[in-house]
Amino acid sequence: MLTKRIIPCLDIKDGRTVKGTNFVDLRDAGDPVELGALYAQQGADELVFLDITATVEKRKTLSELVNKIAHHINIPFTVGGGISSVDDVSVLLQNGADKISVNTAAFKRPELIRELEKDFGSQCVVLAIDTRKEEDGEWYVYLNGGRTKTDTRCIDWAKQAVELGAGEILLTSMNHDGTKKGFALDITRTLATTLPVPVIASGGGGTMEHFVDVLTEGCADAALAASIFHFKEVAIPDLKRYLQEHHLAVRL
Amino acid sequence: MSLAIIKYNAGNIQSVLYALERIGATATVTDNFAQIQAADKVIFPGVGEASSAMRYLKERGLDQLIVELKQPVLGICLGMQLMCAYSEENDTTCLGIFNEHVQKFNPAKDSAIKVPQIGWNTIGDLKTGLFKNVPENSYCYFVHGYYAALGEHTIATTEYVQPYSSALHKNNFYGVQFHPEKSAAVGEQILRNFLSL
């Protein structure tokens, strides 16, 4: 049986992992290669490496780091942050990334998704969406690491991106990110039950129960978290055993 | 021992190379006929689309080369599918090493099952030395929208929508649908087993 996936996310700045609360107040949590290998060994199902500063600082490639990661880590990993062209992606895949995630650049030029799907296949194109629920009750797409609001609804953009060739959606709720009060179950469920591709839920995971909630009630195919893993608030082996006790299929 | 990875327009060649490095094996990525023919073992990787991959192989004569290889050959993912007789993916005639057909996953309309299958699934009914010391129902990493049906060459079975061939074997040819290069310790064991065949 296909399992639910647990995915630690390593936010990268200057070659080190960092994780902020609501995208500010960054804290240092170690060497990404070492940390990634440790997570792989503990039973993480995939890893995500996001260069969170890339969109602002226009830093183009993580290729050296990606190459190091690819040499050391024996599970699939996704790389994102500032990716805006077929060339960017080509370099990262050639250096051993399994998937890449696109966000702001794809929103500004949706055709990028089709180009990536055509050249590399939808299996390696992850669309990352940062979304926030506004007072009108709708979830809107935010760009540039959550700094720029758009008038596009999250579900509309997700549907369009999947039609263009996105193979997975990485959905981050800005309302929940950093709060450790649980994932955004409603929008996760909306996307996961509407779209024909897997949805990775991100933002708000604080306890093992939150993961059960988002993988059952939220219908997510995978759940992603960062600081709770980095600071050992939740250990991956414990989390996976807990999920199994709650009748979820996991890899142990 | 010399190990050749067939170079063609497929996507996971670096990953396979690095995975072999991690278990202490050195491989050459090549489309040179003499080098491939002289290798002790050949790996035929692949992430991509069937018809464009077959066209590429045919244009270079690699299709004939592969079917005539005598040493152990391991096809991975698309590589395994291309070793079958036929793929529904853009109506493609493949190499015909295995007579199994490759079909698209077709879950019921109201089903929550998503295509492609992405993630970790179990392999069972394991046969041949390729799975030596690999426990039944071990987890491997899969990414695919098409599958090889069960048949006489099936040496591992996985269930998604229905049971299908997650590995095939005939004579010196082996194929795995999952990605041993991304399947943690289990994948490393399978790669080691292939190297010791």
Side-chain angles (χ1 to χ4, degrees):
Chain A
M1 191 174 178
L2 185 68
T3 68
K4 300 288 187 181
R5 288 171 280 154
I6 296 300
I7 307 178
C9 178
L10 288 76
D11 288 352
I12 306 293
K13 190 183 179 191
D14 304 324
R16 305 277 293 173
T17 56
V18 287
K19 178 64 188 177
T21 301
N22 293 325
F23 296 106
V24 292
D25 295 335
L26 303 177
R27 290 200 289 174
D28 192 339
D31 168 29
V33 179
E34 209 175 313
L35 191 58
L38 175 70
Y39 288 143
Q41 193 245 326
Q42 288 182 339
D45 296 304
E46 289 186 38
L47 299 171
V48 170
F49 295 88
L50 282 182
D51 190 335
I52 54 170
T53 59
T55 312
V56 176
E57 296 178 3
K58 309 289 180 197
R59 196 171 61 166
K60 277 290 180 188
T61 68
L62 291 164
S63 58
E64 273 180 34
L65 179 62
V66 167
N67 193 275
K68 240 163 85 180
I69 294 163
H71 273 95
H72 286 91
I73 288 171
N74 61 6
I75 59 170
F77 69 96
T78 301
V79 179
I83 294 172
S84 61
S85 72
V86 170
D87 286 346
D88 290 347
V89 171
S90 184
V91 168
L92 295 171
L93 294 179
Q94 276 167 24
N95 276 286
D98 297 288
K99 312 176 193 180
I100 54 82
S101 78
V102 287
N103 188 333
T104 302
F107 186 88
K108 288 184 174 163
R109 197 174 69 81
E111 200 58 25
L112 175 64
I113 297 172
R114 198 194 299 279
E115 291 166 10
L116 295 176
E117 189 265 343
K118 189 172 145 285
D119 281 16
F120 311 111
S122 61
Q123 83 290 334
C124 72
V125 183
V126 179
L127 176 74
I129 304 177
D130 296 325
T131 188
R132 183 192 289 279
K133 191 178 194 173
E134 299 291 344
E135 283 172 4
D136 64 2
E138 293 282 357
W139 290 89
Y140 290 95
V141 175
Y142 275 70
L143 305 178
N144 299 316
R147 284 181 290 272
T148 311
K149 185 184 180 300
T150 73
D151 295 327
T152 302
R153 291 195 314 157
C154 177
I155 182 68
D156 296 334
W157 171 223
K159 276 185 186 168
Q160 187 194 348
V162 170
E163 278 165 24
L164 287 165
E168 277 183 284
I169 303 290
L170 167 52
L171 178 71
T172 302
S173 162
M174 294 170 58
N175 305 70
H176 297 73
D177 197 51
T179 66
K180 297 182 185 174
K181 288 180 177 167
F183 294 90
L185 300 182
D186 55 345
I187 188 65
T188 303
R189 186 186 171 87
T190 301
L191 262 61
T193 55
T194 307
L195 302 173
V197 302
V199 173
I200 304 162
S202 158
T207 67
M208 297 199 281
E209 203 181 348
H210 295 153
F211 286 82
V212 172
D213 292 343
V214 80
L215 296 171
T216 54
E217 208 181 319
C219 297
D221 299 277
L224 177 146
S227 56
I228 58 160
F229 297 137
H230 302 336
F231 296 100
K232 299 174 185 160
E233 290 158 30
V234 171
I236 291 169
D238 296 344
L239 173 59
K240 293 185 92 175
R241 271 193 297 275
Y242 185 84
L243 296 176
Q244 191 187 41
E245 284 163 17
H246 288 76
H247 313 294
L248 285 158
V250 288
R251 179 179 67 111
L252 284 172
Chain B
M1 188 184 63
S2 65
L3 186 55
I5 300 174
I6 297 177
K7 184 180 171 184
Y8 73 116
N9 60 339
N12 66 332
I13 289 173
Q14 288 305 112
S15 304
V16 173
L17 190 64
Y18 297 158
L20 291 167
E21 278 178 27
R22 282 195 295 273
I23 60 167
T26 314
T28 309
V29 179
T30 179
D31 55 5
N32 178 289
F33 279 36
Q35 218 169 358
I36 294 169
Q37 281 162 334
D40 296 315
K41 302 266 160 54
V42 176
I43 294 181
F44 180 34
V47 170
E49 187 273 320
S51 69
S52 59
M54 271 310 294
R55 200 178 318 121
Y56 184 99
L57 295 174
K58 278 183 179 167
E59 279 167 10
R60 288 156 182 80
L62 284 164
D63 57 333
Q64 271 307 307
L65 176 87
I66 293 167
V67 299
E68 285 164 11
L69 290 173
K70 300 287 182 260
Q71 64 274 60
V73 178
L74 177 65
I76 297 176
C77 194
L78 179 65
M80 185 204 85
Q81 296 189 356
L82 296 177
M83 287 157 80
C84 292
Y86 169 80
S87 173
E88 280 184 7
E89 190 171 19
N90 292 316
D91 190 22
T92 304
T93 301
C94 301
L95 298 172
I97 294 165
F98 308 121
N99 55 13
E100 282 74 8
H101 278 205
V102 176
Q103 298 155 22
K104 191 169 177 41
F105 281 125
N106 191 13
K109 285 265 180 291
D110 56 351
S111 138
I113 295 176
K114 293 171 180 181
V115 176
Q117 171 176 223
I118 300 181
W120 297 80
N121 203 335
T122 50
I123 54 172
D125 292 327
L126 304 176
K127 299 183 182 80
T128 79
L130 189 65
F131 296 109
K132 192 181 165 192
N133 298 325
V134 176
E136 283 286 320
N137 300 316
S138 291
Y139 281 101
C140 289
Y141 189 79
F142 291 82
V143 181
H144 62 124
Y146 293 78
Y147 68 96
L150 293 175
E152 59 171 318
H153 301 114
T154 305
I155 54 166
T157 303
T158 293
E159 187 149 351
Y160 194 68
V161 187
Q162 71 279 309
Y164 68 93
S165 296
S166 42
L168 294 165
H169 167 241
K170 183 188 176 188
N171 303 327
N172 56 317
F173 292 98
Y174 295 80
V176 291
Q177 178 60 66
F178 53 86
H179 288 276
E181 76 278 15
K182 289 288 165 182
S183 294
V186 169
E188 286 168 357
Q189 181 64 47
I190 292 166
L191 288 175
R192 264 191 222 102
N193 289 343
F194 175 70
L195 298 184
S196 341
L197 284 172

